[in-house]
Amino acid sequence: GTTRIRAVPPVTTAAEERAWWGAEWRREGETAIWGCPGMTWVEGVTRDLAMIVPHLGLRHGKPQVVLDLGCGPGRLAVALAKSWRAYPGWRVIGVDICEAAVRAARVAKLEVGIESGAVFHVGDGRMLPDAVVTVDAAYSMLLFQHLQADAVQGYLREVARVLRPGGVFRFQWVHGSTDSPYSHDVSVVTMGEWCAA
C-alpha cells in the first residue's frame, strides 16, 4: 500500500500550535497524543514512569512538586499522583497547549479519586502559567520533537526559572528523522547548547 502523509502547514506561533493540537485532538483524541503502536496505554505509562521517576532526585522527607510538560490527557501525571496518595502534599503540575487534553486530564484525575495531587494548566511553552512557582523536579516525554525551537528554548528557560537549586529536569526528544509530519529535528549539540544557556 501507499503511505499517505497529511500536509501540515508551517506552524510558527503559539496560536498556530494550539490550533494544530486542538485539531489533532478532535481528529484522533488520545490516540494522537499516545501514538505508540504495539504498546498498550498502561504498558507505555509503566515504561515511561520507570524511565523518569527514579532519576528525578525526589526526597521522601518532605512534600515534592513535579512538573509534567506536555502532559496531554494526564497519562503520566495522573498515574504518578495516584501512586503518591500515601505522601501528603506531593503533587504533579501538568501543562499542555491543547485545552481539550487538559480538560481530559482534569476528568481523568477525578475518575481515579485524586483531588489535590494533580493540577493541570494550559500553556504554550514559551512561558509557564503563573500558578507554577517552584518545582522540585520536572519531566517531559513525547513533546520536544513536536515544538518549534523557540518553544523548546522557552520551556528550558522556564524550567530553569522555577526549578529549585539541585532539581532535576529529565526530558526526551527525537534526534534524526521522524515519521511525523509535525516533527522538528534538534541535534544533541544544539540541545546541549540550549540547556547550557
Side-chain angles (χ1 to χ4, degrees), residues 20-44:
W20 195 89
W21 283 108
E24 278 292 283
W25 184 268
R26 287 189 297 278
R27 193 174 65 81
E28 292 188 34
E30 293 179 356
T31 304
I33 305 298
W34 176 226
C36 289
M39 184 179 292
T40 68
W41 185 272
V42 172
E43 289 169 340

Side-chain angles (χ1 to χ4, degrees), residues 153 156-157 160 169 171 188-197:
Q153 291 170 299
L156 293 172
R157 275 192 306 274
F169 178 28
F171 62 90
V188 173
V189 171
T190 298
M191 189 64 80
E193 290 171 350
W194 291 351
C195 287

Side-chain angles (χ1 to χ4, degrees), residues 13 27-28 58 63 75 79-80 89 94 114 118 138 143 146-147 157 160 181:
T13 68
R27 193 174 65 81
E28 292 188 34
L58 300 175
R75 170 177 90 84
L80 192 53
I114 298 168
L143 173 67
H146 300 302
L147 298 181
R157 275 192 306 274

Side-chain angles (χ1 to χ4, degrees), residues 87-101:
Y87 302 106
W90 283 56
R91 188 163 65 104
V92 182
I93 300 173
V95 176
D96 200 276
I97 196 168
C98 180
E99 293 180 28

Side-chain angles (χ1 to χ4, degrees), residues 18-182:
R18 192 173 292 109
W20 195 89
W21 283 108
E24 278 292 283
W25 184 268
R26 287 189 297 278
R27 193 174 65 81
E28 292 188 34
E30 293 179 356
T31 304
I33 305 298
W34 176 226
C36 289
M39 184 179 292
T40 68
W41 185 272
V42 172
E43 289 169 340
V45 167
T46 302
R47 178 202 65 182
D48 289 351
L49 288 178
M51 287 191 298
I52 296 166
V53 176
H55 306 285
L56 291 178
L58 300 175
R59 302 173 309 228
H60 288 278
K62 67 176 192 108
Q64 304 281 282
V65 178
V66 176
L67 177 62
D68 178 342
L69 296 176
C71 66
R75 170 177 90 84
L76 300 179
V78 169
L80 192 53
K82 184 178 177 184
S83 74
W84 285 346
R85 282 187 180 159
Y87 302 106
W90 283 56
R91 188 163 65 104
V92 182
I93 300 173
V95 176
D96 200 276
I97 196 168
C98 180
E99 293 180 28
V102 169
R103 283 194 301 272
R106 290 171 178 159
V107 169
K109 82 169 191 169
L110 296 176
E111 287 176 347
V112 297
I114 298 168
E115 293 296 326
S116 60
V119 294
F120 298 97
H121 303 282
V122 175
D124 65 25
R126 291 152 184 90
M127 287 191 66
L128 288 172
D130 291 341
V132 183
V133 179
T134 302
V135 299
D136 297 287
Y139 66 84
S140 179
M141 293 289 286
L142 305 174
L143 173 67
F144 279 1
Q145 63 263 25
H146 300 302
L147 298 181
Q148 299 289 323
D150 70 314
V152 175
Q153 291 170 299
Y155 266 144
L156 293 172
R157 275 192 306 274
E158 286 290 278
V159 169
R161 180 179 63 79
V162 301
L163 192 62
R164 68 165 171 77
V168 174
F169 178 28
R170 187 166 177 82
F171 62 90
Q172 160 278 331
W173 87 99
V174 174
H175 169 54
S177 61
T178 66
D179 61 358
S180 169
Y182 184 39

